[in-house]
Amino acid sequence: MSRSKVRNILLLKQIHSAVTHIKKGKLDKALETLDKAEDSARKAKATDAVYYILFMRGGIYYTESKYDEALETYEKALDAGLELLKNDPENTNYQHYMGTTLSNTGNLLKRKGENPQAAEYYVRARETYENLLAKEPENAVFRSAAGENLNNYAALLTDMGSFEQACEVLSQAIELYEKLLEEKPENLGYQAELAVALSRLGNCLVQQGPEKSDTAKQSLEKALTMQENIFNQQPEDATIKDAIALTRERLEKLETMKIQEKPESLENLENSENQEKQENLEEQETLENPEKLKQEKPETLENLENPENSEKPEKL
């Protein structure tokens, strides 16, 4: 067996071992194994393996809240991905890896509070997945990843106060996940992502003014129904519990806003009714007392009845 084949076999075993450690939650062991795997990959000049190793390492750092290390690792992964695409620009797997890495980098930058930079990475990921879906519109993996990126991008836009743009992005995410759910209605992952998008859309619409409150309520109620359905099937899932609490909070906020606006509307209606009553009384009084109409005639009416009193036009 050639030396290169031995290296490749060793590399695959190291990557597999790292994945196993990650699944067991042994992240330190996984990092040690990935270091060895990267060394093997670079010796074998396997750029695709290097990219995958860097991607996994960045994910571990992110999980451990080591954001600076994660960001540095993802930047190296992006460099490796660009090299791969330079040699094979039509490779959809490489494009998918790049899209995911770009989106994850956006998540990291958002977490670090670097919002403008995060937006740039989300946009790049969005463009990557738009290109991928133009080639493979039925690919469920690409559609799901695209929807997740749009969800995260919309959350950033909402934080930045760009509510109209956030609603537009969320509408795209909702369209993607609704179609995915039509194909696999029992997929809880699709349900969860769709519910997140609907809840965020409802919140986003609330921020745009009371005229959109009915549409916002429909979106929030739909999200809550889906989230409660997921909870019934996964009652121990802390993430769905938090999602339900957030959606309920948004609904309560919407109802509070409606209550605060209601007295003002009732007051305006009451004033309008009082004004109408007063006008009716005055009209009735005038009909009963014609002399009052004569006393309150406007000056212009008197001039029409007495032409002599009207002002003469100036001579030209």
Side-chain angles (χ1 to χ4, degrees):
M1 185 180 293
S2 67
R3 185 175 297 178
S4 61
K5 286 186 178 180
V6 172
R7 282 179 177 172
N8 289 336
I9 292 172
L10 176 61
L11 174 59
L12 289 173
K13 286 184 177 180
Q14 289 169 331
I15 292 175
H16 179 74
S17 175
V19 171
T20 301
H21 288 317
I22 291 171
K23 288 180 178 179
K24 291 181 178 179
K26 299 178 180 180
L27 301 184
D28 289 340
K29 283 284 186 183
L31 287 172
E32 290 178 11
T33 306
L34 287 174
D35 287 341
K36 297 175 182 177
E38 184 182 356
D39 182 61
S40 299
R42 292 192 182 280
K43 288 178 178 177
K45 296 183 179 179
T47 306
D48 52 348
V50 171
Y51 181 93
Y52 184 62
I53 290 163
L54 290 168
F55 181 82
M56 283 197 295
R57 183 185 291 140
I60 293 172
Y61 284 140
Y62 190 103
T63 302
E64 293 183 324
S65 299
K66 297 179 179 179
Y67 300 130
D68 290 334
E69 291 92 334
L71 183 59
E72 181 182 353
T73 304
Y74 277 138
E75 286 174 345
K76 290 179 180 179
L78 288 171
D79 289 339
L82 288 172
E83 185 177 343
L84 289 171
L85 285 172
K86 184 178 178 181
N87 297 322
D88 190 0
E90 299 303 316
N91 189 308
T92 55
N93 286 327
Y94 295 163
Q95 292 176 46
H96 171 47
Y97 296 155
M98 282 292 287
T100 305
T101 310
L102 287 165
S103 187
N104 286 355
T105 305
N107 295 340
L108 270 172
L109 291 166
K110 179 178 180 290
R111 185 65 64 93
K112 286 167 64 66
E114 299 176 20
N115 290 348
Q117 294 87 341
E120 291 178 9
Y121 279 90
Y122 285 136
V123 169
R124 287 174 62 188
R126 183 184 187 183
E127 292 171 350
T128 298
Y129 280 110
E130 284 176 351
N131 292 333
L132 274 172
L133 292 176
K135 297 175 183 177
E136 298 186 24
E138 301 304 316
N139 189 307
V141 174
F142 296 166
R143 283 186 285 164
S144 180
E148 185 177 347
N149 177 68
L150 291 171
N151 252 341
N152 293 331
Y153 182 31
L156 175 70
L157 290 169
T158 302
D159 290 346
M160 296 171 70
S162 301
F163 302 118
E164 187 173 346
Q165 189 179 359
C167 285
E168 179 264 324
V169 171
L170 284 167
S171 295
Q172 287 188 9
I174 289 168
E175 183 180 356
L176 283 169
Y177 278 112
E178 283 180 338
K179 289 181 179 178
L180 285 167
L181 206 54
E182 283 178 11
E183 297 164 9
K184 292 187 177 181
E186 302 304 318
N187 189 304
L188 294 182
Y190 294 161
Q191 291 181 42
E193 288 291 343
L194 177 56
V196 166
L198 287 166
S199 182
R200 284 175 176 168
L201 179 62
N203 179 58
C204 194
L205 290 168
V206 169
Q207 305 299 328
Q208 294 187 66
E211 68 276 5
K212 297 191 177 182
S213 60
D214 289 341
T215 308
K217 185 178 180 181
Q218 292 174 6
S219 185
L220 288 168
E221 287 177 340
K222 188 175 180 180
L224 184 59
T225 300
M226 296 184 70
Q227 289 166 342
E228 289 176 340
N229 175 59
I230 297 169
F231 177 72
N232 289 335
Q233 298 180 63
Q234 297 182 342
E236 302 303 320
D237 189 336
T239 302
I240 197 63
K241 289 181 183 178
D242 292 341
I244 289 172
L246 182 58
T247 302
R248 284 177 176 167
E249 181 183 328
R250 287 167 173 168
L251 273 168
E252 289 172 4
K253 179 181 177 182
L254 177 59
E255 292 302 320
T256 301
M257 287 175 60
K258 285 186 175 181
I259 292 170
Q260 290 173 345
E261 290 163 8
K262 195 171 184 180
E264 182 180 352
S265 302
L266 290 174
E267 184 180 349
N268 291 338
L269 179 60
E270 186 177 344
N271 290 338
S272 176
E273 290 175 349
N274 289 338
Q275 183 178 356
E276 186 177 352
K277 287 179 182 178
Q278 181 64 29
E279 289 173 353
N280 290 338
L281 287 172
E282 290 177 355
E283 182 180 352
Q284 184 65 29
E285 185 180 353
T286 301
L287 290 172
E288 293 173 356
N289 186 7
E291 290 298 320
K292 184 174 182 182
L293 177 61
K294 186 176 180 181
Q295 294 170 2
E296 294 181 352
K297 280 190 292 189
E299 185 180 350
T300 53
L301 185 56
E302 291 181 359
N303 290 341
L304 286 173
E305 294 176 355
N306 300 288
E308 295 297 326
N309 294 335
S310 62
E311 291 184 4
K312 296 180 181 179
E314 295 182 4
K315 293 182 180 180
L316 295 177

